[in-house]
Amino acid sequence: DPDFGAYSLTVSSFYMGRTEVTKETWDAVRAVAPSYGYTDLPGGGQKAPNHPVHSVNWYEVVKWCNARSAMEGRTPCYTVSGSVYKTGESDNVTCNFSADGYRLPTDAEWEYAARGGRVGNRFPWGDTITHSQANYDSYWSGGHPYYSYDLATTEGYHPDYDDDGYPYTSPVGSFAANAYGLHDVAGNLWEWCWDWYPGYVGSNRVLRGGGWRYYASYCRAGSRLGGSPGARGNYGGFRVCSVVLVP
């Protein structure tokens, strides 16, 4: 990586959702979740049904993954003390990575998928970024973008989505997919991952991808952020993984 140096990513085979989970999909699962014992999933936030759901914390998205698994007849991946994780906030969650249910990607899986098979680039498509490729905040200084690899022609939030109040998210799939068919792996919303943030085990979980209110530097494939698993904000969402095909 031009900024992070050389390193390897090794993962087992997996499938990943092409887009961040939308509010429409979140609501569809949440509506039936109580019948499976999931009684405390929040409504989440939205710009519109086809925009990614936001303002959901790590605990909530993990439980939502289990609820969706149950709804579709898959085996839930997440347990606490041997029981399927359904309610509350627990830091003792374990993941059965061989189960066929839905789960969050690991930190390595997320980056491997986001890079789309490319080696040595900042972004899933190359070394520079513009508003034609992602929904992010272009930070300018002295009349031009602060980062040399930010080639946006307008300053600030994405000009196509900076209206109608916060958050300035975009509909999922608005930008071209990477070589693996994944949309918005740079920008739109930060995405929760399974792992604890390095050096902050027990306090912060990994977030990846940057977002609508963050600068180009955060959209780099090698960039990560740590967030409290109980935190909610209009900057964060998620996408799902599975060992079997994700529809």
Side-chain angles (χ1 to χ4, degrees):
D1 184 284
D3 306 312
F4 299 99
Y7 53 97
S8 64
L9 294 169
T10 302
V11 298
S12 299
S13 297
F14 67 99
Y15 292 93
M16 179 180 276
R18 291 181 179 273
T19 69
E20 296 159 335
V21 171
T22 64
K23 183 61 162 61
E24 181 179 32
T25 302
W26 176 272
D27 287 345
V29 173
R30 182 173 179 264
V32 301
S35 65
Y36 295 97
Y38 300 86
T39 57
D40 59 358
L41 293 180
Q46 67 167 342
K47 186 80 169 187
N50 64 336
H51 284 235
V53 64
H54 64 78
S55 300
V56 285
N57 70 31
W58 186 90
Y59 304 111
E60 292 158 353
V61 302
V62 164
K63 290 181 290 186
W64 183 94
C65 286
N66 271 358
R68 182 177 175 183
S69 299
M71 184 181 79
E72 297 185 11
R74 301 188 183 209
T75 301
C77 294
Y78 297 111
T79 60
V80 175
S81 300
S83 298
V84 175
Y85 182 38
K86 294 184 177 183
T87 60
E89 296 187 350
S90 175
D91 289 326
N92 296 317
V93 179
T94 59
C95 182
N96 178 1
F97 288 95
S98 64
D100 67 352
Y102 295 100
R103 60 177 176 81
L104 295 179
T106 66
D107 188 29
E109 284 174 335
W110 190 96
E111 184 173 341
Y112 186 93
R115 288 188 177 276
R118 300 185 72 101
V119 176
N121 292 132
R122 287 190 177 92
F123 303 102
W125 52 80
D127 283 336
T128 61
I129 187 171
T130 73
H131 278 149
S132 67
Q133 295 165 314
N135 182 5
Y136 68 100
D137 180 4
S138 181
Y139 173 56
W140 286 33
S141 177
H144 55 79
Y146 177 80
Y147 299 99
S148 61
Y149 47 80
D150 181 2
L151 305 184
T153 57
T154 55
E155 181 179 4
Y157 299 121
H158 197 293
D160 292 345
Y161 305 108
D162 63 344
D163 54 14
D164 298 329
Y166 282 170
Y168 297 148
T169 56
S170 45
V172 300
S174 295
F175 299 89
N178 72 0
Y180 289 166
L182 307 179
H183 300 270
D184 294 320
V185 283
N188 213 10
L189 285 182
W190 284 98
E191 300 177 14
W192 287 111
C193 292
W194 161 252
D195 303 69
W196 290 107
Y197 189 80
Y200 291 83
V201 173
S203 60
N204 286 345
R205 296 280 183 173
V206 169
L207 288 155
R208 287 283 199 154
W212 64 271
R213 58 180 285 190
Y214 286 79
Y215 303 144
S217 60
Y218 292 103
C219 293
R220 294 173 295 174
S223 182
R224 64 168 60 84
L225 194 67
S228 167
R232 301 184 189 92
N234 59 18
Y235 54 83
F238 70 110
R239 75 179 70 217
V240 296
C241 278
S242 177
V243 295
V244 296
L245 187 64
V246 176

